[in-house]
């Protein structure tokens, strides 16, 4: 894009990296977001998303001058929703201008009334003027109140944040110092705000970098003590974490923006073990972003596609670990994770001082702690990093990574995590990520069972399942997850995006986690029984949404 003359408040088309242009507005960044060095750039808030970024001036175009051009080359539904959000913003802005004009007229009228009032008047005239003036003051006051309230609401929250408040994925309260966000909520994009934007993965925003951190990746660093107590404040979909009154938690957040939208791959050799639903997408994205990757899978044929894409083939886990600097693994359950490390030609046999092992499997805290101990005992470095998401999010590089263990290794994995995910959290000591991941999947699995239960109840009571979905999609539960899983059920398509057997495994482990600390988990226990019935109906290798079949048989 050619360089243009732009200023604060301009509507623009912004292009970031390999992604297509997207409508946004130039705004002041939050106070704690530093401007990147180098070429001139502007801080842009994008419509129809929660995303924002520093964009180079040559990657920006004026909105109105290039609107028709952009609409012709971009036909996606979410793109159109973003354009609709711009148009709604313009309509509201025009309405405000008109209101402002009327207010000015009212002020003039009030001044004239004051002049008239200074002259001798009859009692009736005085009363009329007093009433008139009162109405003007009330109207002006209400107008100011509405404008103030609206700007405060918008100013304290990122674009369209209010729509996301209706989503179960909302996290935290907005920062008080974020005052220049004037993009209003759009009803046309309200429904999409509960999930990530499909077409884009904008890079996070810039702040003071953590020592030794990759300047192009957003990190969440959590150093925990005996009694972790945290509160969350959102800068769009990123989190800033602050200490509570106890002072028992020391937390630091580093925001950074990749101005050019690219990833600088680490020069370390990467190994990857396990090419299942999640692992395949992860490896593909590592290769796309320029990493040197050696792969191994129990079923060797799955490696062929990645060899064609440039990966190297490892004959055993031990060989991969011995030839690579950092080896990732993503397997199905605790037994598979242990066998991979402790079995014949396993990971442990390839560990030497300085070798790094990152386990991305969703397992229990006891298993991951045991694996960490044996890796470290050989001089290796260990990080647990289970991922939240599904096959589609894995393919799109939009996973959420929960990490714990060796913080230095977490930093070394920066470019890898950026390639495979949209966000990573560092949660402290080994075991914390496993616990958090099980809790997340417990909530997800229980919700899925409730969705299936509601759809079957609608059916047996003579209600339209499609209408139920339409109603849910217009309410507070609206989310991509809800819509996709309901569509699976309505279409009878249970092709796995997240295996039913694995969500049942996670529910089982979450229940055991609750038992270990004497905490009741009755909702998860009930959902677990429904999934067990679905497994008995031979639904294990179908998507988790196939739990629906447990209710109709």
């Amino acid at each position: 894009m050619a360089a243009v003359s732009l200023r604060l408040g301009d509507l623009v088309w912004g292009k970031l990296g390999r992604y297509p242009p997207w409508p946004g507005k130039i705004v002041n960044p939050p106070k704690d977001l530093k401007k990147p060095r180098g070429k001139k750039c502007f801080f842009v808030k994008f419509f129809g998303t929660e995303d924002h970024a520093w964009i180079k001036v040559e990657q920006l175009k004026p909105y109105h001058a290039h609107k028709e051009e952009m609409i012709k080359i971009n036909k996606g539904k979410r793109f159109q929703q973003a354009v609709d959000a711009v148009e709604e913003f313009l309509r509201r802005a025009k309405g405000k201008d008109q209101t402002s004009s009327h207010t000015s007229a009212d002020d003039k009228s009030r001044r004239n009334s004051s002049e008239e009032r200074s002259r001798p008047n009859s009692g009736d005239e005085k009363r009329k003027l007093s009433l008139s003036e009162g109405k003007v003051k009330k109207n002006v006051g209400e107008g100011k109140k509405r404008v103030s309230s609206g700007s405060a609401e918008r100013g304290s929250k990122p674009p369209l944040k209010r729509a996301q408040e209706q989503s179960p994925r909302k996290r935290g309260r907005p920062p008080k110092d974020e005052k220049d966000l004037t993009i209003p909520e759009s009803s046309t994009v309200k429904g999409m705000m509960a999930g990530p934007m499909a077409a884009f993965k904008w890079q996070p925003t810039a702040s003071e970098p953590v020592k030794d951190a990759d300047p192009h990746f957003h990190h969440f660093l959590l150093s925990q003590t005996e009694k972790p107590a945290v509160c969350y404040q959102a800068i769009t979909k990123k989190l800033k974490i602050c200490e509570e009154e106890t002072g028992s938690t020391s937390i630091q957040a580093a925001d950074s923006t990749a101005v050019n939208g690219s990833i600088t791959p680490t020069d370390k050799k990467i190994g990857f073990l396990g090419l299942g639903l999640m692992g395949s997408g992860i490896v593909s994205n590592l290769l796309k972003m320029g990493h040197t990757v050696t792969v191994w899978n129990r079923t060797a044929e799955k490696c062929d596609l990645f060899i064609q894409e440039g990966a190297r083939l490892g004959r055993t886990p031990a060989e991969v670990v011995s030839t690579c600097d950092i080896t990732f693994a993503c397997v199905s359950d605790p037994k598979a994770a242990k066998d991979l490390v402790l079995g014949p030609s396993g990971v442990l046999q390839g560990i030497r001082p300085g070798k790094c092992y990152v386990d991305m499997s969703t397992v229990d805290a006891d298993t991951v702690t045991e694996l960490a101990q044996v890796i470290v005992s050989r001089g290796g470095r260990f990080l647990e990093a289970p991922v939240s998401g599904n096959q589609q999010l894995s393919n799109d590089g939009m996973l959420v990574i929960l990490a714990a263990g060796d913080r230095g290794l977490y930093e070394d994995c920066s470019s890898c995590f950026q390639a495979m995910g949209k966000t990573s959290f560092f949660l402290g000591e080994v075991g914390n990520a496993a616990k958090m991941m099980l809790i997340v999947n417990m909530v997800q699995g229980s919700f899925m069972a409730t969705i299936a239960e509601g759809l079957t109840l609608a059916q047996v009571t003579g209600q339209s399942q499609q209408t139920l979905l339409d109603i849910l999609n217009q309410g507070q539960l609206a989310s991509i997850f809800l819509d996709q899983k309901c569509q699976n059920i309505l279409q009878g398509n249970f092709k796995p995006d997240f295996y039913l057997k694995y969500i049942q495994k996670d529910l089982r482990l979450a229940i055991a986690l609750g038992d270990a600390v004497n905490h009741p988990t009755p909702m998860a226990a009930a959902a677990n029984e429904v999934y067990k019935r679905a497994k008995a109906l031979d639904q294990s290798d179908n998507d988790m949404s196939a739990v629906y079949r447990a209710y109709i048989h």
Side-chain angles (χ1 to χ4, degrees):
M1 291 185 178
V4 292
S5 177
L6 297 168
R7 62 183 180 179
L8 188 68
D10 282 353
L11 297 179
V12 294
W13 296 97
K15 187 171 186 346
L16 189 62
R18 64 185 185 275
Y19 303 112
W22 201 260
K25 181 183 178 185
I26 297 175
V27 300
N28 281 323
K31 293 178 181 179
D32 55 353
L33 297 186
K34 291 186 176 181
K35 189 173 183 177
R37 295 178 181 178
K39 295 186 178 181
K40 184 177 180 181
C41 56
F42 288 100
F43 190 73
V44 177
K45 293 285 184 178
F46 294 100
F47 285 85
T49 85
E50 292 181 276
D51 297 310
H52 60 264
W54 289 102
I55 307 294
K56 292 180 182 179
V57 68
E58 59 265 30
Q59 298 297 320
L60 296 170
K61 282 186 177 182
Y63 175 80
H64 294 289
H66 298 274
K67 176 182 173 182
E68 296 304 322
E69 170 192 348
M70 297 304 173
I71 290 177
K72 285 181 181 178
I73 63 176
N74 294 292
K75 300 295 184 181
K77 179 180 178 181
R78 297 194 186 281
F79 174 83
Q80 185 56 53
Q81 290 173 324
V83 173
D84 291 343
V86 179
E87 297 306 312
E88 182 175 343
F89 167 68
L90 291 172
R91 286 194 297 272
R92 292 190 181 187
K94 184 177 180 180
K96 284 184 180 180
D97 290 341
Q98 293 174 348
T99 300
S100 176
S101 176
H102 290 316
T103 301
S104 297
D106 289 342
D107 288 340
K108 183 177 180 180
S109 175
R110 184 172 57 180
R111 286 195 298 271
N112 291 337
S113 296
S114 297
E115 292 174 0
E116 289 293 329
R117 189 172 51 182
S118 66
R119 301 170 187 171
N121 292 291
S122 68
D124 290 341
E125 289 174 334
K126 287 181 179 180
R127 282 193 295 272
K128 289 178 181 178
L129 284 171
S130 177
L131 288 171
S132 176
E133 184 180 356
K135 288 181 179 179
V136 171
K137 286 184 177 180
K138 182 178 180 181
N139 289 338
V140 172
E142 288 179 351
K144 287 181 178 179
K145 183 177 180 181
R146 285 193 296 271
V147 172
S148 174
S149 175
S151 64
E153 186 175 0
R154 291 188 294 274
S156 65
K157 302 181 183 181
L160 306 174
K161 188 69 177 180
R162 287 169 291 156
Q164 194 192 21
E165 286 182 349
Q166 298 185 9
S167 162
R169 295 181 61 188
K170 168 180 176 289
R171 296 179 181 142
R173 295 182 295 277
K176 295 180 181 179
D177 59 354
E178 199 170 342
K179 298 180 179 178
D180 194 66
L181 307 181
T182 57
I183 302 173
E185 173 190 12
S186 166
S187 60
T188 60
V189 296
K190 197 170 185 179
M192 64 174 278
M193 290 309 299
M197 186 174 66
F200 295 89
K201 185 179 67 175
W202 297 107
Q203 301 300 332
T205 51
S207 182
E208 295 184 6
V210 177
K211 183 178 179 182
D212 299 328
D214 184 329
H216 296 303
F217 190 53
H218 173 73
H219 299 278
F220 296 88
L221 303 178
L222 168 58
S223 301
Q224 293 190 320
T225 53
E226 291 181 0
K227 297 179 181 180
V230 299
C231 61
Y232 297 90
Q233 292 181 328
I235 295 183
T236 67
K237 65 184 174 186
K238 310 340 179 254
L239 301 180
K240 293 183 65 181
I241 310 174
C242 61
E243 281 187 301
E244 286 193 345
E245 295 177 357
T246 61
S248 61
T249 307
S250 174
I251 305 169
Q252 191 175 15
D255 282 305
S256 57
T257 300
V259 176
N260 59 6
S262 64
I263 297 172
T264 302
T266 178
D267 57 2
K268 297 181 184 297
K269 296 178 180 177
I270 304 300
F272 203 95
L273 313 175
L275 300 174
L277 287 183
M278 306 297 280
S280 294
I282 292 172
V283 170
S284 180
N285 283 306
L286 288 172
L287 291 170
K288 287 176 184 176
M289 297 304 169
H291 295 83
T292 300
V293 185
T294 300
V295 296
W296 174 88
N297 191 71
R298 185 175 57 182
T299 306
E301 292 76 16
K302 286 189 176 182
C303 297
D304 294 344
L305 177 61
F306 302 102
I307 302 303
Q308 294 173 17
E309 293 182 5
R312 301 172 183 177
L313 178 64
R315 292 175 297 179
T316 66
E319 180 183 289
V320 173
V321 172
S322 63
T323 58
C324 295
D325 300 304
I326 303 175
T327 300
F328 294 84
C330 188
V331 293
S332 59
D333 54 34
K335 182 180 184 305
K338 288 182 180 179
D339 290 346
L340 187 62
V341 174
L342 305 173
S345 300
V347 167
L348 194 60
Q349 295 184 21
I351 292 290
R352 303 192 303 273
K355 292 292 183 182
C356 303
Y357 186 62
V358 182
D359 194 338
M360 307 190 79
S361 312
T362 300
V363 297
D364 57 285
D366 289 342
T367 295
V368 78
T369 300
E370 179 183 345
L371 296 180
Q373 289 173 347
V374 296
I375 295 295
V376 173
S377 70
R378 294 288 184 92
R381 301 167 65 194
F382 182 85
L383 184 75
E384 59 167 332
V387 294
S388 178
N390 53 32
Q391 183 182 29
Q392 186 60 53
L393 293 177
S394 176
N395 292 341
D396 293 342
M398 294 293 284
L399 296 170
V400 175
I401 300 142
L402 312 183
D406 188 321
R407 189 167 125 175
L409 177 52
Y410 171 75
E411 299 292 345
D412 291 341
C413 293
S414 175
S415 71
C416 297
F417 288 158
Q418 188 182 7
M420 66 181 75
K422 64 177 179 179
T423 308
S424 75
F425 292 80
F426 184 79
L427 303 177
E429 65 183 16
V430 169
N432 286 340
K435 294 173 185 176
M436 186 68 81
M437 189 73 259
L438 290 177
I439 294 168
V440 169
N441 283 357
M442 177 189 76
V443 172
Q444 181 175 249
S446 299
F447 183 43
M448 181 67 252
T450 301
I451 293 171
E453 190 169 295
L455 285 172
T456 52
L457 182 59
Q459 183 180 42
V460 299
T461 56
Q463 306 305 306
S464 166
Q465 293 179 320
Q466 181 62 57
T467 300
L468 172 61
L469 173 57
D470 293 340
I471 293 170
L472 292 174
N473 275 336
Q474 294 299 316
Q476 293 179 325
L477 296 178
S479 66
I480 290 178
F481 178 83
L482 172 72
D483 186 62
Q484 288 179 341
K485 296 309 179 185
C486 285
Q487 293 294 349
N488 287 353
I489 292 171
L490 295 180
Q491 296 168 14
N493 176 17
F494 299 108
K495 180 181 178 182
D497 193 43
F498 192 121
Y499 283 117
L500 184 144
K501 61 185 177 185
Y502 293 158
I503 197 67
Q504 189 273 322
K505 175 261 299 182
D506 294 343
L507 280 165
R508 172 174 55 82
L509 294 177
I511 293 167
L513 175 63
D515 289 343
V517 293
N518 197 32
H519 181 77
T521 52
M523 300 299 126
N528 186 48
E529 293 303 315
V530 183
Y531 283 99
K532 286 164 63 176
R533 173 165 171 75
K535 287 177 66 177
L537 295 170
D538 201 26
Q539 301 300 311
S540 292
D541 292 325
N542 283 332
D543 185 73
M544 68 164 75
S545 54
V547 68
Y548 173 80
R549 289 179 170 168
Y551 286 96
I552 61 176
H553 286 86

